[in-house]
Every structure is written in structure tokens, then in C-alpha cells.
Amino acid sequence: MTKKLFIKTYGCQMNVYDSARMADVLAPLGYEQADSAAAADLVLLNTCHIREKASEKVFSELGRLARAKRERAAEGRTLMVGVAGCVAQAEGAEILRRAPVVDVVVGPQAYHRLADMIAAAEAGGPARGKGVAPNAARLDTDFPAESKFAALPAESAARGPAAFLTIQEGCDKFCSFCVVPYTRGAEFSRPPADIEEEARRLVGLGARELTLLGQNVNAYRGAGADGPVGLGALIARLARLAGLARLRYTTSHPGDVAADQIAAHRDVAALMPHLHLPVQSGSDRVLAAMNRRHTADEYRETVARVRRARPDIAVSSDFIVGFPGETDADFEATLALVREIGFAQAYSFKYSPRPGTPAADKSERVEEAAKTERLRRLQDLLVEQQLAYNRGFVGGTVEVLLDRRGAHPGQLIGRSPYMQAVHVAAPAELFGTVVPVHVLSAHANSLAGALVDNGAKRVNQRVEPSAARSDLARTDKTMGGYTG
Ligand code: 5AD
Ligand code: SF4
């Protein structure tokens, strides 16, 4: 019997990847994907805990699902609800207490055990009443010794021209504001052979571009047959895969940018000229309080080294304003750094205290009004830079991998090598191909253009980025690179 599954994904690209994996794991139980919660027998929320608003959204969605479940019960039908992701990991027991609608809670390291949990929940019927003590059958937030990656089924729900592939997970950096080391656990790198096999599978399913994912992806150190393999060597190896046109990776930590990573940007044609390198602040005092382990000058020097290797590289970043103790002078140092570097794209956030992180206990809070004002000033500057950057492409040509259908009929959307979204009128048969696009206009978040030669001649060829010279999360436009 087929049953319908709807997964709502919040947050970063790794959650998008994990959602596809969860769909894979549940397929053997007879679950097929539905387009909406209304059409589903099982709804999974794959949650994000990085900032306050991200987890608030989960509880309001659970309220809606509780109403839907009651309505169905009145009609003699059932609805099963699961919570996965980083809110599940951080607040699993609390979720079961606060939201009796929830049948199962599963943390990011236990997804390979999800099918067993769902099967058990199906056998036991819907969630029990309020105040039920959480038990192992409904809550799995372990960090099991066996790797969830080993249990991937051969079939995959992840289809499409641009696919994600997790190569590294977890973080040992412990930036003082960040929940990731607690929700995703310690750094773990998948073996290169496993990654290559999955890459081959994704290419077989139609992927032309792979984005290698990790919270701290440039700390990647996989166990290869002849010793440890770093990110640069892994990229070189994957770039040889037949049928793969493009590689990307995210997110990098400035302290872990290594010579082989930089060299890959010079030497590997398939590696796209974009580097997401979160800096968070331009003040050394704040960087130290954040436990970022580098100074503003070290960041400048790293960007300069990358640009020497690949002069046209697009650099994007993440920023936090209003970190505890941040003064006006600290904030001015951030603006100065932004002016100097010139970012192609960036995400910026007000500091949000995360329970259990060291910074949440600091007493020197920045006033909300000051946070708002600083965020506005920073975003004004970043948008101005982004617009100027995009305008530099007007009149030139960019290679675009058409990987989404546009809102208008006859329109396709894709990414330039530099991560810009590019809108273009194109026939549907060009979907999934790399085509040269003549850029006609630029906005802060996208370019618009027309096919060169109707795209016909160069379809499916690997094309070098042209002489001209980034929203990373597909689920939540305000997400940011999320780590690194
Ligand atoms: N408050 C505000 N922003 C945060 N980020 C991570 N933790 C917090 C927090 N507690 C931001 C960082 C990170 C991005 C993904 O989210 O800028 O790079
Ligand atoms: Fe790790 Fe990035 Fe979080 Fe720092 S911000 S702890 S590097 S995931």
C-alpha cells in the first residue's frame, strides 16, 4: 500500500540533503512524496535551530498540524507527525511535552533509524496523550557509533540538475554563539570512496552540478586508500567524473582555508569561482569573544590569497551584529572590512542568544534598537555592493546551468558560475543544461538575460566561465551559509 509523505524543510542546504535521505529511507515502508501536508499521511518537519525565529516557526507549524490531526480524527483518518533536524536534537523531550501532536522526534545523526521508528509508531497507533513520558521509541537524539551514511539506500529522492552531497558533518570550532557543535556533533568526514560512489549515483540521476556540503567543509579529511584526503584532492577527484559539469562546496571556515583548497580554484575548471567565507565581524575584539580563532587582518589576507589564485572569484559572507559587548567602534570596524573586501553577496543577522552556548550567558547585551540600526546600515552597504557587483555583468555573457522552472511560462532559472540567479526565456528542453546567457539587466538578487545563439550550439558542453567575472538556501531565503 502506498502512503504519502510530506517533508517540510527549514534552514540550510544540509537539511535539504537530509530531507531527500529521509524520503529514501522511508520509501521501503511504502511512502511516496506528496506535494502538501494536506495530502500526506506522514508529515515530517526538518527543523533549524540556528536562530530564534527558525525554531519559533516549528512550534507554530506544529499548532497547525495539531488542528489538522484533530479534523482528520473526526473523520476517522490519521495523520502522523515527526520532527527531525536541529530543533529535534536540541529540544526533543521538550517537543514531546509541549506538542502532543508529535509522534516521533529524530535527531540528525539517527536518520538511518527513522524507518524503524515510523514502523513502530504505525504499529502503536497515533501519539499518546498529553504528559506522556518521552520514550526511546518516539525520541532518538543519540549520536550512534555507526554512521548514518553507511545505511543509505541505493535509490534516491534527490533528483535534478543541481544536487547536494554531504561530505562532512559536525563542527569542533565552538564559536561562542553557535548551536551547531551541539546539534550536529563532532566533525566527521565521509570516506572519499563513498562520496565518489554517491556522486556517480547523483550524476546518473541527472545531476550536472554537485555542491559538497559540510558545516566546516574545508576541515574535510577523509580516510582514503593511501592516507588522508583533503578537500582540494577530493574536488580534483570528483571533477573527473564523466557527465559532471560543475562543483561547488560550502561552508568554509576562514581558519581552515588551506593551500590545496586555494589551488583547486586555480587548477580545477569544474570548480565554480565562488567562495562562501563567513567572517561574522570585522572587529578583532568581537572575533575573539566569538571564539572565531582568526583576526580581521588574517581574513583579509586569506581573501587576498584566494583572489591571487582566482582573480574573478565571487566572495560571499555571513555577519552577526549586536554580539554581546559589540560597541559602535566594533561595528564600524565591520563596515570598514566590508568596504575593503567588496562582497558579491552576504547574509547578515542580529545576534540571537542560543540556549546552551557560551555567549548566551554574557551579560553585556546590545540594545534591540542598536541591533536594528546596525543591521540596517550593514545591509544597506551589502545590498549596494551586491547590486554593483551584479551590474558589472550587464552586457557580458555568463554560463548558466538551468535548474529551475520560472514563475512565467517559457522561463527557466539557473545559476551563473558566481552563484547569481539568472532568469532567462528558454525552451523547456534546455532544462538541466549549461547555456551561455547574454546579461541584459541586474538586480540585487538576480540577473536577467537572453540565450546566446538560442543556446542551441553549446548545450551540454562544459564551458569555461566568461571574462566577466549568491542565496544559498533554497528553503529559507534568509538562512545564510549557516556555518563555517
Ligand atoms: N545569532 C545570530 N546569527 C547566528 N548565526 C549562527 N548562530 C547565530 C546566532 N546565535 C549566523 C552566522 C552563521 C549563519 C549561518 O548564521 O552568521 O554563519
Ligand atoms: Fe562551527 Fe560555523 Fe558554528 Fe563556528 S559558526 S561553531 S565554525 S558551525
Side-chain angles (χ1 to χ4, degrees):
M1 190 187 72
T2 63
K3 293 166 279 186
K4 294 285 184 190
L5 162 70
F6 180 69
I7 307 182
K8 183 159 182 177
T9 308
Y10 300 83
C12 64
Q13 298 100 318
M14 193 174 282
N15 270 6
V16 176
Y17 174 88
D18 286 344
S19 289
R21 292 284 80 76
M22 286 190 272
D24 295 346
V25 162
L26 292 173
L29 291 189
Y31 281 100
E32 280 175 3
Q33 293 208 70
D35 295 332
S36 68
D41 304 292
L42 167 61
V43 176
L44 285 178
L45 304 183
N46 191 5
T47 62
C48 171
H49 202 237
I50 198 94
R51 290 175 296 276
E52 219 143 8
K53 282 194 181 129
S55 37
E56 274 166 22
K57 284 186 205 161
V58 174
F59 282 101
S60 54
E61 185 63 32
L62 286 175
R64 279 191 288 277
L65 288 170
R67 281 192 297 281
K69 193 167 189 160
R70 277 195 300 274
E71 283 164 21
R72 285 206 200 174
E75 298 166 7
R77 296 190 301 140
T78 58
L79 171 65
M80 222 171 3
V81 176
V83 180
C86 290
V87 180
Q89 187 64 42
E91 297 181 12
E94 174 69 13
I95 291 170
L96 286 177
R97 243 189 327 271
R98 251 178 84 178
V101 62
V102 175
D103 298 282
V104 298
V105 172
V106 59
Q109 301 312 324
Y111 291 157
H112 55 302
R113 307 202 292 217
L114 178 64
D116 286 347
M117 291 179 80
I118 296 291
E122 282 176 341
R128 289 134 257 197
K130 216 173 184 147
V132 173
N135 59 54
R138 294 175 64 207
L139 175 74
D140 192 345
T141 48
D142 281 0
F143 288 93
E146 83 275 9
S147 162
K148 65 175 175 182
F149 293 109
L152 291 178
E155 280 307 306
S156 177
R159 286 167 192 273
F164 296 128
L165 202 178
T166 293
I167 65 165
Q168 178 277 338
E169 194 171 346
C171 183
D172 297 341
K173 288 280 187 290
F174 291 92
C175 299
S176 62
F177 54 81
C178 183
V179 288
V180 166
Y182 312 95
T183 59
R184 292 277 171 174
E187 273 177 16
F188 168 81
S189 294
R190 296 177 67 191
D194 292 7
I195 294 167
E196 196 172 336
E197 189 187 315
E198 189 174 337
R200 229 179 241 118
R201 188 156 53 99
L202 290 167
V203 171
L205 290 166
R208 291 289 158 269
E209 172 181 298
L210 292 180
T211 301
L212 311 180
L213 298 180
Q215 272 82 29
N216 195 6
V217 79
N218 56 340
Y220 176 81
R221 223 173 148 67
D226 309 316
V229 173
L231 180 66
L234 180 72
I235 286 170
R237 187 164 160 174
L238 295 177
R240 290 196 287 269
L241 280 182
L244 186 65
R246 293 176 158 195
L247 277 167
R248 302 181 185 276
Y249 60 89
T250 199
T251 291
S252 296
H253 187 284
D256 289 335
V257 176
D260 68 329
Q261 179 185 357
I262 296 178
H265 278 291
R266 185 191 57 215
D267 302 334
V268 181
L271 182 62
M272 292 293 100
H274 170 235
L275 175 64
H276 187 65
L277 198 63
V279 65
Q280 317 297 357
S281 168
S283 152
D284 288 343
R285 233 175 49 80
V286 174
L287 287 170
M290 287 177 165
N291 191 30
R292 289 292 289 177
R293 306 161 192 239
H294 64 81
T295 63
D297 276 350
E298 282 161 356
Y299 183 88
R300 289 179 177 92
E301 178 48 32
T302 300
V303 171
R305 276 166 59 217
V306 176
R307 283 178 168 163
R308 280 196 291 274
R310 179 79 206 219
D312 66 342
I313 199 159
V315 179
S316 61
S317 199
D318 293 342
F319 296 87
I320 296 176
V321 300
F323 186 79
E326 183 189 69
T327 63
D328 284 337
D330 293 321
F331 176 66
E332 291 300 330
T334 298
L335 293 179
L337 179 116
V338 171
R339 284 190 201 100
E340 256 172 76
I341 301 274
F343 291 99
Q345 197 269 339
Y347 300 95
S348 44
F349 313 99
K350 288 182 193 174
Y351 169 70
S352 148
R354 304 284 65 212
T357 59
D361 299 330
K362 297 194 191 214
S363 54
E364 335 105 278
R365 293 283 162 86
V366 174
E367 291 285 323
E368 188 58 29
K371 280 190 195 173
T372 303
E373 175 61 10
R374 286 176 193 173
L375 187 66
R376 191 193 57 75
R377 286 182 62 202
L378 176 61
Q379 289 186 340
D380 284 352
L381 177 59
L382 290 168
V383 167
E384 190 185 304
Q385 287 194 341
Q386 208 166 308
L387 191 57
Y389 179 78
N390 286 346
R391 282 189 176 140
F393 287 79
V394 175
T397 302
V398 286
E399 306 296 338
V400 179
L401 169 61
L402 298 168
D403 66 344
R404 276 182 294 157
R405 292 172 217 288
H408 309 293
Q411 187 189 53
L412 293 177
I413 305 174
R415 297 273 170 190
S416 75
Y418 312 93
M419 265 312 267
Q420 295 142 308
V422 186
H423 297 242
V424 55
E429 61 265 27
L430 290 184
F431 181 83
T433 65
V434 178
V435 294
V437 172
H438 182 61
V439 180
L440 299 170
S441 64
H443 312 273
N445 289 310
S446 64
L447 302 174
L451 290 177
V452 174
D453 303 337
N454 270 339
K457 275 190 216 148
R458 296 163 72 181
V459 168
N460 261 337
Q461 285 179 15
R462 182 180 297 178
V463 220
E464 296 301 314
S466 56
R469 7 261 140 227
S470 294
D471 154 355
L472 295 171
R474 283 147 201 241
T475 45
D476 179 347
K477 298 282 181 214
T478 60
M479 181 56 208
Y482 87 103
T483 57

